[in-house]
Amino acid sequence: MTSSRTFATSAPGKVIIFGEHSAVYGKPAVAASASSMRSYLLVQPDVKDTDISLLFPDIKLELQCALEQLSAITASHTLGEKLNPALTSAIASLLEEHKLPALQHSAALCFLYLYLSIVPASERTPTRFTLRSTLPVGAGLGSSASVSVAVAQACLTLCSHDSITPPPRDTVNKWAFVGETCIHGDPSGIDNAIATHGGALLFAKDSPTPPRRLVPPSPIVTVLTYTRIPRSTKTLVAGVRSRYEAEPEIFGPLLESMGALAERGCRALEEGDLATTLQLVQVCHGQLVALGVSHPGLEVVRVLTDELGIGQTKLTGAGGGGCSLTLLNNDAPEEVVTQFKSELQERYGYETFETTLGGSGCSIVDLDDARVDKNTRQTVLDVFASTESSREQLDNWLLPEGPTSLPWQF
Ligand SMILES: Nc1ncnc2c1ncn2[C@@H]1O[C@H](COP(=O)(O)OP(=O)(O)O)[C@@H](O)[C@H]1O
Ligand SMILES: C[C@@](O)(CCOP(=O)(O)O)CC(=O)O
Ligand SMILES: [Mg+2]
């Protein structure tokens, strides 16, 4: 029984290069994994208890749910259905007494919805789930999708009777889409596809053809800027929906043009045509401004990029704050890029990361595997347990292909 083992799952964040928001309307979009920024979910049997415990310290959520209470809820969601309103409201009533703010509520709803749908009552045993992430929460880098993928993988593993091996990726991806739907209502599915499969994809919602893998001739290096301005994907996606519904003749062609831009951008990336890619980054940001999803705090990054002449900046993800992506000119002087980053840090309190896009998708590790020595195992458990663990510690002990390579399976 896998439920008696201790294991961890993991999934990366993503960067949307072209096509955020228009992706929700079935238009093509291009995204890549930010594989060094990930969510990690530790699953431990909890022999002394009769509950499942959710420990999500990044969002200050601790929740115990009695298994007996959970089995009173009939979970009848099968894949391919729209979200089951009866299940959503049963979970909402269960959570009512905790009076959780929206951020915590959506995380608990996503977890419980997937747990109750995937793990049959007969397979549920007292378990402790600890979630840690090196992604900024609610910042446009797909933390919600990486959490949904990590949870879907863990739940599918809990109801498998085999050893700890990666569940089929297509099944993980489909369940993670359900999790994303719990968090933001109307996802395109691009974020969970990237968090599951990794790499870079040209994606269209509901397309009869599967997403196409993109292979640029050289690695895509970007500077990501986290403005620390909080926002919610759910609210921003709903805002675009109401603008579109009020003025379909204006916003319809704009969304169409955004999709055309993403396809053109995909070609430019694959041809290694940096000049065209940069121009498209600039236009794409303008389209997102027209959709109403920028923020003065994001414009600061774009204006500084222009002033220093180092490349082009666009918002990435749902916008309204969160993160921007800067694509650098080939000849951007290193000292000017350093000036760009330090000005954003010192003057505005923003955080910058230089990241190469692409890389591994979701992964799983059996911590009872004989290849994990006792000390490493204990340190990994301590890193999960301590709310003080820094991003560096999480990277050091958990990052697949990181310094302490656990036997992650992909
Ligand atoms: N580290 C985390 N721990 C628990 N829940 C998380 C974590 N990171 C993200 N989430 C969930 O994802 C939601 C944020 O998703 P969203 O608004 O789509 O932003 P983004 O996906 O761009 O980071 C949070 O409200 C929470 O439900
Ligand atoms: C706005 C959108 O295109 C991307 C949202 O990404 P994020 O949650 O802001 O990381 C929505 C979606 O595609 O599901
Ligand atoms: Mg999200």
Side-chain angles (χ1 to χ4, degrees), residues 14 39 56-61 102-108 110 131-147 180 183-184 191 231-234 316-318:
K14 60 84 228 233
S39 298
F56 295 178
D58 302 331
I59 59 163
K60 300 188 171 48
L61 174 66
L103 197 114
Q104 282 95 333
H105 184 274
S106 62
C110 166
L131 181 63
R132 298 301 310 267
S133 185
T134 57
L135 280 157
V137 179
L141 300 184
S143 71
S144 59
S146 81
V147 165
E180 271 280 83
I183 293 175
H184 88 69
D191 290 13
R231 77 326 158 264
S232 135
T233 300
K234 185 175 182 162
T316 187

Side-chain angles (χ1 to χ4, degrees), residues 32-47:
S33 65
S35 60
S36 60
M37 301 165 91
R38 307 178 72 91
S39 298
Y40 302 95
L41 180 66
L42 173 68
V43 183
Q44 292 169 285
D46 204 348
V47 276

Side-chain angles (χ1 to χ4, degrees), residues 308-333:
L308 297 175
I310 52 169
Q312 292 296 339
T313 289
K314 66 179 278 286
L315 69 84
T316 187
C323 286
S324 68
L325 170 166
T326 303
L327 202 61
L328 298 171
N329 298 330
N330 265 341
D331 59 357

